[in-house]
Amino acid sequence: MPLPSFSRINSLTVRPMVQRLNADPLAVYLHWPYCAAICPYCDFNVHLDKRADEGEQLVAAMVADLAYWRDWSGAREVSSIHFGGGTPSLLTGAQLTTLTEAVRSLWTTEGAEIALEANPNDVTEARIAAWRAAGLTRLSLGVQSFDDAVLTRLGRDHDGASARHALSHAVDNFASVSADLIFGVAGEREARLSEDLDILLDLGVAHISTYQLTIETGTAFARAEARGTRRAVSEDQSAEDFEMISARLRAAGYRHYEVSNFAKPGAESRHNLAYWRGYDYVGVGPGAHGRLWTDAGRIATETALRPTDYIRAVKTDGTALTDRDRLSAEAAAEEYVMMGLRIEDGLSLSRLADIQGQALAIDPALVEEGLLSINGDRLRATPRGRMVLDALTRALLL
Ligand code: SF4
């Protein structure tokens, strides 16, 4: 669907509905696409870290792309700056500072969460000092497991001891630390998974993101499974593993605040909550996605995938945004419902009415069957409902 130019969008009279929807703070995502090695289960947009000068050019291109976004979004308050990847812990301290300062110079960022996803091997004294100097407030470590056999099977380049060491350092130096934990790996014993949880609890990690190993098309794991080598456990086993993880973490005082995420009170990821709450977010770096409410509707953006294409696009067009699609009211509502039902706090019915232009008619059977609960303006999926989110969303929006 053709869009009005950005200047045209900005010159339109902003309707009250849009004013309400984009009054929320803005989240900024920066994608650093390089990794030291490509893991055999990964289907993210990642590239081997080969040329240092390409990295420098990419930083400059991302700074230019941020400025382009600022022209479009106008002055906004930023609640989170998130470095994801890829492996953003490969950014040098100077590069990280350049990018963080660029965001700070463009929007209001006081009190913002500034988070970095880090490979445990990259957590050194020198890097911690550089990250603190750049103003990072939160570290998210790709631990996955503390079991060397599982880590080897996953093709990770760190071992259990280095993961433990890195987490301990992170907890000592940052107020907010998160660890990723993977489950459903073939050959992983339930007792081992439980020991991983013991270690995370002992270290005082306040936020834990859990990932079920899934076999994605085109990955080395998909080829291994096609040859008959089992890499992931059955769905039933995975469900049992997750039930054990959830029960243990809830008993230890963590809130199961999102389908896959657990946090001690106050340790939730502010950045991810912005996605789940349907806020606007800037996406820069190769393959990053963004969302912005404008008077023309909800705009979904995507950037060039390959670092070289990204750099070239910024040089020629001033931005690497390759897609700027206006979502229909139905598509925007579906996205808001899908995301909002993932979190324990649920979604706002008045916001949903703003998005789709009419109040939602809820089938009372969904409440009676214990899949949904309604409390004032909040619509929530119950724990049972959260297990069948796709079907629930379809049933709601029929
Ligand atoms: S380090 Fe992370 S992003 Fe990079 S290849 Fe491995 S799983 Fe993918």
Side-chain angles (χ1 to χ4, degrees):
M1 188 179 291
L3 282 174
S5 68
F6 289 176
S7 56
R8 169 84 183 118
I9 289 172
N10 285 336
S11 71
L12 291 170
T13 308
V14 179
R15 290 171 291 159
M17 181 272 276
V18 174
Q19 277 178 337
R20 283 197 296 276
L21 290 170
N22 66 16
D24 301 306
L26 189 65
V28 177
Y29 176 75
L30 302 103
H31 188 84
W32 192 247
Y34 305 109
C35 289
I38 307 296
C39 302
Y41 56 93
C42 183
D43 75 334
F44 293 165
N45 180 35
V46 292
H47 301 266
L48 276 178
D49 197 5
K50 286 190 203 134
R51 289 174 34 209
D53 66 322
E54 185 179 285
E56 285 300 323
Q57 289 180 54
L58 184 57
V59 169
M62 287 165 71
V63 169
D65 226 2
L66 284 167
Y68 188 88
W69 263 96
R70 168 62 178 80
D71 285 346
W72 191 18
S73 75
R76 296 278 294 266
E77 183 197 332
V78 165
S79 60
S80 62
I81 304 171
H82 190 95
F83 290 91
T87 309
S89 50
L90 292 174
L91 281 158
T92 66
Q95 290 169 334
L96 198 59
T97 301
T98 300
L99 289 165
T100 309
E101 285 305 317
V103 178
R104 285 200 176 108
S105 70
L106 295 166
W107 293 280
T108 307
T109 59
E110 213 178 313
E113 170 187 280
I114 308 180
L116 176 93
E117 297 171 8
N119 181 330
N121 280 347
D122 294 337
V123 182
T124 60
E125 297 287 348
R127 280 207 172 94
I128 283 181
W131 294 340
R132 287 174 59 107
L136 293 195
T137 63
R138 182 178 175 97
L139 268 195
S140 174
L141 292 190
V143 168
Q144 317 307 347
S145 171
F146 294 99
D147 182 352
D148 291 346
V150 171
L151 289 167
T152 303
R153 226 167 289 140
L154 291 173
R156 301 294 305 203
D157 60 358
H158 66 272
D159 59 17
S162 57
R164 197 188 288 230
H165 188 68
L167 264 179
S168 162
H169 257 345
V171 169
D172 287 347
N173 285 281
F174 291 91
S176 186
V177 174
S178 175
D180 293 349
L181 184 70
I182 208 161
F183 66 98
V185 182
E188 180 184 50
R189 292 162 297 119
E190 188 178 314
R192 181 59 246 186
L193 200 50
S194 192
E195 279 172 42
D196 284 352
L197 292 172
D198 289 339
I199 297 170
L200 290 172
L201 297 180
D202 281 353
L203 287 168
V205 176
H207 186 281
I208 299 170
S209 298
T210 62
Y211 294 93
Q212 177 187 348
L213 177 65
T214 50
I215 304 300
E216 305 296 342
T217 313
T219 61
F221 270 17
R223 291 190 288 280
E225 291 248 340
R227 290 193 303 271
T229 310
R230 194 105 197 141
R231 295 294 188 205
V233 300
S234 67
E235 279 294 319
D236 284 352
Q237 182 62 54
S238 267
E240 269 179 41
D241 288 350
F242 185 72
E243 192 40 53
M244 183 276 287
I245 293 170
S246 173
R248 283 214 52 198
L249 291 179
R250 280 183 285 122
Y254 290 75
R255 218 178 121 216
H256 187 179
Y257 77 105
E258 192 270 346
V259 172
S260 310
N261 286 278
F262 300 82
K264 287 281 179 72
E268 296 84 1
S269 161
R270 226 190 286 174
H271 186 76
N272 286 337
L273 277 171
Y275 297 147
W276 298 319
R277 288 175 174 160
Y279 293 175
D280 287 347
Y281 52 95
V282 170
V284 302
H289 294 252
R291 292 286 185 280
L292 190 70
W293 278 108
T294 72
D295 199 40
R298 181 78 158 156
I299 309 295
T301 69
E302 197 175 339
T303 57
L305 281 175
R306 285 155 42 109
T308 46
D309 292 342
Y310 189 99
I311 293 163
R312 195 175 314 118
V314 170
K315 277 184 186 152
T316 51
D317 304 329
T319 178
L321 291 184
T322 50
D323 285 317
R324 275 169 282 174
D325 293 328
R326 178 170 31 202
L327 299 180
S328 65
E330 294 76 25
E334 184 179 341
E335 189 170 88
Y336 180 59
V337 170
M338 286 280 300
M339 290 289 169
L341 292 184
R342 292 183 69 92
I343 46 177
E344 196 179 41
D345 292 343
L347 57 88
S348 154
L349 287 167
S350 54
R351 185 182 180 93
L352 179 59
D354 271 348
I355 294 171
Q356 62 179 7
Q358 58 184 21
L360 179 69
I362 300 168
D363 179 353
L366 297 172
V367 178
E368 286 154 20
E369 287 166 18
L371 297 170
L372 286 176
S373 71
I374 304 170
N375 187 359
D377 187 48
R378 305 305 297 181
L379 175 69
R380 296 181 177 88
T382 63
R384 251 188 77 211
R386 282 206 263 171
M387 293 175 76
V388 290
L389 269 189
D390 288 352
L392 191 54
T393 304
R394 278 197 302 277
L396 256 179
L397 295 173
L398 262 183

